[in-house]
């Protein structure tokens, strides 16, 4: 089988021929049909995850079909549509696991970071952590929902979103455009914050009522003029500067949710925090319960990513285009 591999930090993606692996007890073999390309995959290539293990097959936005099951596996079954998100497995016994927050498990394994992911024609996955993909979702569209979709959907829920609230989305890339779509589908008023003026037409086409061009006005000031500020800001772009600038534009009791990880620090003045009882939080991808909720919501509310398709052989090209900011929506590798 073909596999796209990162041999070591800061190395190019290389294509290898590998034997198709055999699932062991408790495992399944997934025939990968599509795998989304995430910014975290770029971080694996760049060596920015201190816990990553090499050589590594990246990819944690996996969508495919169960090809074979290992001993003792009764679910899923051969032929079932299945995906794998960021969370590959967890310990099952720590306080986070037993309370349903297994994505916070300190012993968690990560798909495409500590375990081989979906940049290959077949991959091994623990049966208990496979996500069932509803029949109504196309594989290429389901892939990005495993991380990008899950991350923004869960970020809104972790910020305790309520219908009718104002949601500002920083960035309009692979995460950002889904942030707009989920927020709109959940009943939000939406603004988009971007340093690219040419993104305005796209933002309004997705349903944003406000577009804030940070090259002409500070985002915090512009948000304050939006009926008193945003109730939630989704920081999807990996820019700590953009998050810092937007924070003063929160309404009282508002929350800035950090989803995109970038270098540097986010700062907030004590007066903004205390005076308005504002919140700054991060939100990781999500648990098995969360990915099922994401896929179900996406199917029934027609929230689907805008995708650009690439063959597996062009995995390195897709990552480079992402690094250069030249991708629209989400890149997806097609393997079948």
């Amino acid at each position: 089988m073909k596999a796209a591999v990162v041999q070591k930090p800061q190395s190019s993606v290389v294509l290898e021929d590998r034997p198709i692996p055999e699932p062991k007890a408790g495992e399944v073999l997934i025939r990968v049909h599509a795998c989304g390309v995430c910014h975290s995959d770029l971080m694996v290539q760049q060596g920015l995850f201190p816990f990553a293990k090499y050589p590594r097959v990246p990819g944690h936005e996996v969508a495919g079909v169960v090809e074979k099951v290992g001993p003792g596996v009764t679910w899923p079954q051969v032929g079932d549509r299945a995906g794998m998100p960021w969370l590959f497995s967890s310990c099952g016994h720590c306080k986070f696991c037993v309370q349903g927050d297994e994505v916070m498990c300190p012993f968690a394994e990560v798909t495409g970071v500590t375990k081989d992911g979906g940049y290959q024609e077949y991959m091994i996955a623990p049966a208990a952590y496979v996500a069932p993909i509803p029949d109504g979702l196309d594989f290429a569209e389901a892939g990005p929902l495993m991380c990008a979709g899950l991350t923004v959907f869960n970020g809104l829920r972790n910020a305790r979103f309520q219908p009718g609230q104002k949601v500002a989305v920083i960035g309009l890339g692979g995460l950002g455009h889904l942030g707009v779509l989920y927020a709109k589908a959940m009943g939000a008023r939406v603004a988009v914050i971007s340093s690219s003026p040419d993104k305005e037409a796209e933002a309004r086409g997705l349903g944003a009522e406000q577009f804030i061009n940070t090259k002409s006005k500070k985002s915090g000031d512009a948000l304050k003029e939006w009926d008193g500020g945003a109730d939630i800001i989704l920081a999807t772009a990996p820019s700590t500067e953009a998050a810092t600038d937007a924070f003063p534009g929160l309404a009282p009791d508002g929350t800035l949710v950090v989803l995109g990880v970038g270098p540097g620090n986010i700062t907030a003045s004590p007066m903004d925090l205390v005076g308005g009882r504002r919140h700054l939080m991060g939100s990781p991808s999500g648990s098995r319960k969360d990915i099922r909720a994401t896929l179900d919501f996406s199917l029934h509310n027609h929230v689907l990513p805008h995708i650009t398709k690439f063959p597996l052989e062009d995995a390195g090209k897709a990552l480079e285009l992402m690094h250069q900011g030249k991708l629209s929506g989400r890149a997806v590798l097609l393997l079948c």
Side-chain angles (χ1 to χ4, degrees), residues 90-107:
S90 61
C91 74
H93 58 76
C94 71
K95 70 175 184 178
F96 298 107
C97 286
V98 299
Q99 69 190 21
D101 287 330
E102 57 203 6
V103 73
M104 305 290 290
C105 174
F107 308 105

Side-chain angles (χ1 to χ4, degrees), residues 2 12 41 57 104-105 113 182 184-185 192 201-202 207 251 265 322:
K2 295 178 182 177
S12 300
D41 302 339
V57 177
M104 305 290 290
C105 174
V113 182
Y182 278 112
K184 285 293 294 182
V192 168
E202 179 185 357
N265 297 306
M322 174 186 291

Side-chain angles (χ1 to χ4, degrees), residues 45 64 66 89 106-107 110 118 126 149-150 173 189 207 217 226 246 288 306 326:
Q45 184 186 24
V66 176
S89 66
F107 308 105
V110 181
L150 170 61
R189 298 171 58 192
K217 191 165 191 176
W226 188 33
R288 287 174 285 182
H306 295 185
K326 294 181 178 179

Side-chain angles (χ1 to χ4, degrees), residues 85 87 100-103 150 154 285-292:
L87 181 66
D101 287 330
E102 57 203 6
V103 73
L150 170 61
N154 221 32
S285 58
S287 66
R288 287 174 285 182
K289 177 181 177 181
D290 298 326
I291 185 57
R292 293 189 183 208

Side-chain angles (χ1 to χ4, degrees), residues 172 194 196-206 208 210-211 213:
L172 202 61
S194 177
S196 302
D198 58 352
K199 293 277 190 177
E200 180 169 3
E202 179 185 357
R204 296 195 183 277
L206 293 171
Q210 296 281 340
F211 182 83
N213 173 14

Side-chain angles (χ1 to χ4, degrees), residues 34-38 59-63 84-85 142-149 330-331:
C35 186
V37 178
C38 181
H60 52 265
E61 294 187 342
V62 185
M84 278 299 293
L145 300 180
M146 295 291 164
C147 180
R330 204 71 167 172

